[in-house]
Amino acid sequence: MRTHEQAGVAERTAAAPAELPSAARRADEFTASRRGVVRKYLYNHPRVMDVVVVLVYLLAGSGTFLNGRTANLGAHLVVLAASCVVLMFRRDRPLSVLAILAVFEIINIILVPTSGNIGASLWFALYAVAVAYRGVFSFSVAAAASLPLVLYTLFVYQFPREFLRVDGPTAFESNVITGIVMLLSNVIATGVGVSVRRGREHEAELRQWAVRNAQLASIAERNRIAREMHDVVAHSLTVMVALSDGAAVVVRRNPEKAGDVLAQLSQTGRNALADMRRVLGVLRDDSGADSRSPQPDDTDLAALFEGFRQAGLPLSVTQAGPLLPKDPALQLTVYRIVQESLTNVLRYGTSISRVQVRIDNDPAAGVLKVVVADDGRGSLDASMGTGQGIVGMRERARIYAGTVDAGPAPHGGWTVDAVLHPAAARD
């Protein structure tokens, strides 16, 4: 029934701030800022708070020392001191402390009927119980702990006659009022503890929520980086391998043209390094999405097509409709879909005589189509690739409520058909 909240608080206090995830640390800092300076200090120093509780308890019974007619003052001091010692352990053993203090209160009221702090120690013990246990159990314990003292007050306790007035309530009525006041004060103390417990549980839930959100964001960011790295590395290495193979043949047949092929190979490597720096830059700088990945435009698409032609693809490009919207994210999506499709053709296709790229932009219908088709032989089954490229294309298309269909064409070859809806972009 008891929770591990106290142990969790101790662990958070003992743990070094650097060991906490940044989101959890920010949640703790926000919670601490709401407490204020005094509450924050007492929260971080629980034993100091215990001393404060003992001082408040002593203050509640100070009237006993001011009353010169108090009997059994020595015994009262012993009970008072014992109660103070027991209260120091209320945080560690709340139920045991409550049981001991309930006995001490009966002893105290028997020895010193005029004591001004009867039942006061129970307030702090009941608060500690309510903080550590659930509400129903805490109120049940409060009723059980209050019952002996209330029954003694109603049926045994002799209200001091010096406190009675001729026109005031009788001794029995005073006993009833005293019993009701003690019972209500115990209920209030328990209610305060229950409220504090719920507040701490809410803070713990907020902290867990912040950590879960940070974990989900981290996973999404890692997936995005992995997708970008796959696109950059797979494309660049595929093109560089094709260019190097071609250069080995061209250098024997036409040494002059081999220089152009090697230059293209070198430029492809430089572009790959630049793209990788942009993608991995997010690990060091989270200043914005614009610097995280290459942001292609129509000129970059033209350079992309030329690079594949240099790598040996018999590529033809058809564009219908206006130019792509000036939306960097949309341009990047089209760029990556075309890049991944052509990379797969270059990597897996054989006996290719024609590769056709069609980009149809129809703003009136709100549809942007990208089709990459070849007439070669080859497939993208699990034995030849991981399939992550197609998964990445579909993830990008879903941002624009789109779809990507990839598979063998009816008359041979492979076709990638992507349909995007730019107006339906999601964050």
Side-chain angles (χ1 to χ4, degrees):
M1 184 178 297
R2 189 177 181 183
T3 65
H4 298 285
E5 177 188 3
Q6 292 175 331
V9 171
E11 290 176 0
R12 292 198 300 272
T13 304
E19 296 176 358
L20 293 172
S22 58
R25 188 164 59 249
R26 288 195 297 269
D28 290 343
E29 291 173 353
F30 174 74
T31 301
S33 65
R34 296 176 57 191
R35 293 193 180 99
V37 178
V38 177
R39 288 183 59 201
K40 179 180 177 181
Y41 177 81
L42 294 177
Y43 181 84
N44 294 329
H45 301 80
R47 291 308 173 189
V48 176
M49 184 63 193
D50 293 338
V51 174
V52 173
V53 167
V54 169
L55 293 177
V56 172
Y57 171 65
L58 291 175
L59 181 63
S62 61
T64 303
F65 302 101
L66 300 178
N67 186 357
R69 294 170 296 179
T70 300
N72 299 324
L73 184 58
H76 174 67
L77 290 176
V78 173
V79 173
L80 193 66
S83 298
C84 291
V85 173
V86 172
L87 277 174
M88 292 297 294
F89 298 94
R90 67 187 182 91
R91 194 182 304 273
D92 304 314
R93 298 287 186 271
L95 288 178
S96 301
V97 168
L98 178 62
I100 295 173
L101 292 178
V103 175
F104 282 180
E105 289 294 342
I106 295 294
I107 297 174
N108 190 37
I109 195 174
I110 293 175
L111 295 177
V112 188
T114 59
S115 175
N117 66 334
I118 295 176
S121 64
L122 295 181
W123 304 343
F124 306 105
L126 289 172
Y127 169 86
V129 170
V131 169
Y133 295 87
R134 296 187 179 276
V136 175
F137 179 78
S138 299
F139 281 108
S140 301
V141 170
S146 304
L147 188 61
L149 192 59
V150 171
L151 291 178
Y152 181 87
T153 303
L154 291 177
F155 301 108
V156 180
Y157 179 64
Q158 298 294 326
F159 200 87
R161 294 189 176 278
E162 57 267 28
F163 295 154
L164 295 175
R165 296 175 55 185
V166 178
D167 56 346
T170 64
F172 178 75
E173 292 173 342
S174 299
N175 288 350
V176 172
I177 295 173
T178 302
I180 294 175
V181 170
M182 287 191 296
L183 180 61
L184 289 178
S185 61
N186 290 344
V187 171
I188 292 174
T190 304
V192 173
V194 170
S195 177
V196 171
R197 173 188 168 86
R198 290 178 178 173
R200 293 179 181 178
E201 289 178 343
H202 181 62
E203 291 175 0
E205 290 174 356
L206 289 178
R207 186 177 185 274
Q208 294 174 0
W209 175 83
V211 172
R212 285 196 300 268
N213 274 7
Q215 290 173 343
L216 291 175
S218 177
I219 292 172
E221 185 64 13
R222 286 198 299 267
N223 290 337
R224 189 196 66 78
I225 293 175
R227 185 172 61 242
E228 293 290 348
M229 288 297 295
H230 171 272
D231 292 341
V232 172
V233 174
H235 158 69
S236 301
L237 290 181
T238 300
V239 173
M240 290 172 69
V241 169
L243 288 173
S244 61
D245 291 341
V249 176
V250 173
V251 73
R252 294 193 298 267
R253 298 180 180 178
N254 190 348
E256 295 180 357
K257 189 177 180 180
D260 296 336
V261 177
L262 292 175
Q264 181 67 26
L265 176 63
S266 176
Q267 185 61 41
T268 301
R270 290 190 179 92
N271 292 339
L273 286 175
D275 286 352
M276 290 175 64
R277 289 192 184 100
R278 293 189 188 99
V279 173
L280 296 178
V282 70
L283 300 178
R284 297 184 300 269
D285 181 14
D286 196 18
S287 58
D290 292 341
S291 62
R292 294 185 180 185
S293 55
Q295 300 293 328
D297 52 24
D298 292 341
T299 304
D300 291 320
L301 280 175
L304 179 69
F305 297 144
E306 183 60 28
F308 278 104
R309 290 192 181 99
Q310 291 283 347
L313 284 185
L315 186 62
S316 64
V317 180
T318 303
Q319 291 184 267
L323 298 177
L324 295 181
K326 297 300 182 182
D327 179 1
L330 177 61
Q331 291 179 357
L332 178 61
T333 298
V334 174
Y335 183 94
R336 291 304 191 199
I337 290 176
V338 173
Q339 182 189 57
E340 178 64 29
S341 302
L342 294 178
T343 300
N344 289 336
V345 173
L346 186 63
R347 181 187 300 173
Y348 303 115
T350 58
S351 302
I352 297 174
S353 62
R354 178 177 56 85
V355 180
Q356 186 175 6
V357 178
R358 297 196 308 273
I359 301 177
D360 299 335
N361 185 17
D362 189 356
V367 176
L368 175 62
K369 295 183 179 180
V370 178
V371 180
V372 179
D374 67 83
D375 61 353
R377 297 193 304 271
S379 65
L380 290 177
D381 59 17
S383 63
M384 300 186 68
T386 64
Q388 293 301 314
I390 295 178
V391 173
M393 287 191 289
R394 287 173 177 161
E395 288 178 353
R396 293 181 187 277
R398 278 199 295 268
I399 297 176
Y400 295 93
T403 58
V404 174
D405 294 324
H411 304 291
W414 189 272
T415 301
V416 175
D417 189 353
V419 179
L420 308 178
H421 303 276
R426 296 178 299 163
D427 294 333

